[in-house]
Amino acid sequence: MTGPVALAATDLLAVEFSAAGSLAPLLVADAFAGLFDWFLTAVVGGVFSWLAGVTGLDFLGYPYMQRAYLSVLCIGVVGPLVGSFLVYRDLSMVGDTLAHTAFAGVALALFLEATLGLAVPPLLGALVVAVVAALVVQALIEYTDARSDAALAMVLTGGFALGSVLISLTGGGISVGINQYLFGSLATVSRADVGLLVSMGLVVVGSVAVAYRPLVYVTFDETAARASRLHVRAVNTLLSILTAFVVVSAMRIMGVILVAALLVIPVVTASRLGRSFKQSLLYGVLAGELAGVAGVTVAYLYGLAAGGSIVLVALAGFVAVAAGHRLA
């Protein structure tokens, strides 16, 4: 009996180790989720509750407003950070293009759930489609005779057309669920959305920090970068993917239609203030943060759309800086 017993014990141990290995990612995810919940409740909630007591603004103590403020603080960093590399390369429309294709990803996820019962998270669908669209734009520019603006226009219209067709195939049944992604909303930003936004923000900031020099080199002199044997295609691919991350992460609060604004307007504002590219990056992030916080506050106080309020505040900041620069 020694042989069979030993084999049975070995098989049991193997099964236990296999189960432990399959559960390890889930345990790690649960640990991170618990840590983030603590951060959101104890740290963020504590800071905003203190601010509510000091300023007398009770809405700062509301959990959904705290999530909205944390979201725009993250967007205010990653939007101008990535947008600076786009604006200085005359690729400002990349963000708008990926936002419209991300709309198709949301429509696809809702369509699969409505017709096949597949519960695909809309933001996951948006991220996948936006990344694919970014790679398609790059391929069109590199492997065809299409100019960059023509490639962007084709992908933008194609993505929006796909989304509208998917909505029509369900008889408009998914149009209600998709409206919140088109225009954004303060009240619908969930803990999961904030967690996804913070995670993507950390990925974007970390990637830019690691690849900062190649990104700057390609941005200002792509020909010299190729001559120095820098892998320009990889740098362009990284920038496209980071742009898709920013667009998708900001969709819930900014909306598809306006999400590209924080990739462009703060950067253009900062270009009139900074004397170097690093200074422009810093001023762009500051402009994005001010526009986000002020826009969310105005949206709550006057019952306005959050995305539209943020964009109008950002535009007002640009006009003020441009006018001051002109007078000076």
Side-chain angles (χ1 to χ4, degrees):
M1 296 295 293
T2 302
V5 171
L7 288 175
T10 302
D11 292 340
L12 181 60
L13 287 174
V15 171
E16 290 179 351
F17 278 119
S18 176
S22 61
L23 288 175
L26 296 177
L27 294 175
V28 172
D30 287 341
F32 276 111
L35 181 63
F36 179 74
D37 284 340
W38 170 84
F39 171 76
L40 196 60
T41 304
V43 179
V44 177
V47 170
F48 276 96
S49 296
W50 175 79
L51 287 174
V54 171
T55 61
L57 301 175
D58 294 336
F59 63 86
L60 293 177
Y62 302 158
Y64 79 94
M65 286 300 294
Q66 294 172 3
R67 293 193 294 269
Y69 277 116
L70 181 58
S71 298
V72 296
L73 287 174
C74 291
I75 297 169
V77 173
V78 297
L81 190 62
V82 173
S84 295
F85 297 102
L86 298 175
V87 171
Y88 283 97
R89 296 182 66 181
D90 295 326
L91 294 175
S92 301
M93 290 301 296
V94 168
D96 202 32
T97 299
L98 297 187
H100 283 74
T101 54
F103 161 78
V106 172
L108 178 61
L110 296 176
F111 174 80
L112 292 175
E113 184 175 5
T115 57
L116 302 178
L118 297 177
V120 179
L123 288 182
L124 177 61
L127 179 61
V128 172
V129 174
V131 170
V132 171
L135 298 178
V136 169
V137 169
Q138 184 177 339
L140 286 174
I141 295 173
E142 291 187 1
Y143 298 109
T144 69
D145 294 331
R147 294 171 57 87
S148 59
D149 55 347
L152 291 172
M154 287 190 292
V155 175
L156 184 152
T157 53
F160 210 72
L162 175 60
S164 61
V165 167
L166 290 174
I167 293 174
S168 64
L169 286 176
T170 62
I174 64 175
S175 59
V176 176
I178 212 167
N179 280 340
Q180 57 185 314
Y181 294 95
L182 277 174
F183 302 104
S185 173
L186 291 178
T188 58
V189 180
S190 65
R191 284 175 175 259
D193 295 331
V194 178
L196 179 64
L197 175 55
V198 172
S199 301
M200 287 187 177
L202 292 174
V203 171
V204 170
V205 172
S207 300
V208 172
V210 171
Y212 178 77
R213 288 183 179 275
L215 283 169
V216 172
Y217 201 179
V218 173
T219 297
F220 289 100
D221 199 340
E222 184 171 334
T223 303
R226 292 184 184 276
S228 64
R229 298 185 179 181
L230 182 67
H231 204 323
V232 174
R233 184 180 300 172
V235 175
N236 289 334
T237 301
L238 174 64
L239 183 60
S240 299
I241 293 174
L242 293 180
T243 306
F245 272 47
V246 173
V247 166
V248 172
S249 63
M251 279 177 57
R252 289 290 279 178
I253 195 165
M254 292 292 297
V256 167
I257 298 175
L258 299 174
V259 69
L262 282 187
L263 285 164
V264 177
I265 300 175
V267 177
V268 178
T269 303
S271 66
R272 294 181 172 272
L273 298 173
R275 296 183 178 181
S276 66
F277 183 70
K278 286 186 177 181
Q279 281 190 358
S280 295
L281 277 179
L282 176 60
Y283 289 138
V285 170
L286 291 176
E289 297 286 14
L290 290 174
V293 172
V296 167
T297 304
V298 170
Y300 173 81
L301 293 177
Y302 297 100
L304 305 175
S309 300
I310 293 171
V311 173
L312 289 177
V313 171
L315 285 172
F318 167 74
V319 171
V321 170
H325 188 268
R326 182 72 175 176
L327 291 174

